[in-house]
Amino acid sequence: MSRLLPPGSLDISWDHNSHYHGHLLRHVPPHCTRALDVGCGGGRFARVLASRGIAVDAIDPSPRIISTAREWTPSRLPVEYRAASLEEADPVPEGYGFVSAISSIHHMPFGPSLGRMAAALAPGGTLAVLGLYREESAADVATSLAALGPQWAIGAGMGLGRLLTGVPDLHSVGPTAEMPVCDPRMSLREIAVEAAERLPGARLRRLLFWRYSLLYTRPA
């Protein structure tokens, strides 16, 4: 990790995932005290959850990424990081009021991973997946084209902010700079079919910026 700036520095970065943090947070149950963040990467969303007073177990299979996430997380925040895959972590059944997976489930077997995360939910708990999908239809292409204008506008604004403040892009020198990437294999149609089978009642929504959200609340 770059030493151009210390952990905890002003973060005026933006990406397709952080754009939807607010959308996911609106679905955290009111009395949630414990959360699981699957594929936490640099820990950005885990820190957001912990700043709301929620104890967070954050897992990622990369020891190097977990080390970086720990370094960038203030000790006052209740986040427990572990270098492990979802299968290795074997979450406690019904142990969490909220489970999140942000741009990570396409790195894992989709159906079994949904099942494991749903099993970790306490009754009334919510699973929130922010995922990527493979373009397949004309609607997919149209949504991608519609995202280009906002992406350019936001990118230009963020670039101007960094220029005025002198703060570098944390995606280049911060905790997400070394995040692994891979292309999604499943289309939105395939995701909908699999989710309906695994999680009856789950709500799938197409989003801008090549993302979808999948929300599931375990019956109380």
Side-chain angles (χ1 to χ4, degrees):
M1 185 182 70
S2 171
R3 300 296 177 182
L4 293 176
L5 73 169
S9 295
L10 177 65
D11 185 353
I12 58 171
S13 60
W14 172 89
D15 60 33
H16 300 146
N17 296 327
S18 62
H19 183 80
Y20 290 109
H21 282 182
H23 168 64
L24 301 181
L25 289 171
R26 286 193 290 273
H27 298 279
V28 177
H31 303 297
C32 176
T33 60
R34 192 163 198 85
L36 173 67
D37 189 27
V38 179
C40 65
R44 189 172 187 179
F45 190 64
R47 289 188 287 274
V48 171
L49 287 170
S51 69
R52 298 164 66 100
I54 299 171
V56 182
D57 290 336
I59 60 173
D60 193 284
S62 169
R64 185 173 184 177
I65 292 294
I66 285 293
S67 177
T68 300
R70 287 194 182 110
E71 185 176 353
W72 279 77
T73 300
S75 59
R76 61 180 173 80
L77 292 180
V79 182
E80 183 69 30
Y81 290 104
R82 180 182 173 190
S85 67
L86 176 60
E87 184 176 9
E88 292 167 339
D90 192 20
V92 177
E94 301 187 8
Y96 300 94
F98 186 75
V99 176
S100 56
I102 299 182
S103 289
S104 60
I105 197 167
H106 68 288
H107 292 264
M108 302 178 278
F110 184 80
S113 297
L114 279 185
R116 288 192 181 94
M117 290 189 287
L121 290 173
T126 296
L127 167 63
V129 174
L130 182 71
L132 288 73
Y133 62 90
R134 174 176 55 83
E135 290 186 358
E136 177 186 60
S137 66
D140 296 337
V141 175
T143 304
S144 295
L145 292 175
L148 293 177
Q151 175 174 262
W152 291 333
I154 294 171
M158 300 304 295
L160 178 60
R162 289 192 293 271
L163 180 64
L164 294 175
T165 61
V167 175
D169 184 355
L170 294 189
H171 293 300
S172 298
V173 301
T176 60
E178 300 174 4
M179 292 283 290
V181 296
C182 75
D183 293 328
R185 295 180 295 274
M186 296 179 70
S187 68
L188 202 58
R189 175 185 55 82
E190 293 168 330
I191 290 166
V193 170
E194 185 84 7
E197 180 180 339
R198 295 273 183 171
L199 305 177
R203 294 154 289 164
L204 180 65
R205 176 182 170 187
R206 184 200 302 272
L207 304 171
L208 282 181
F209 305 125
W210 305 275
R211 298 295 187 271
Y212 68 86
S213 67
L214 179 64
L215 300 166
Y216 169 75
T217 298
R218 182 169 183 168

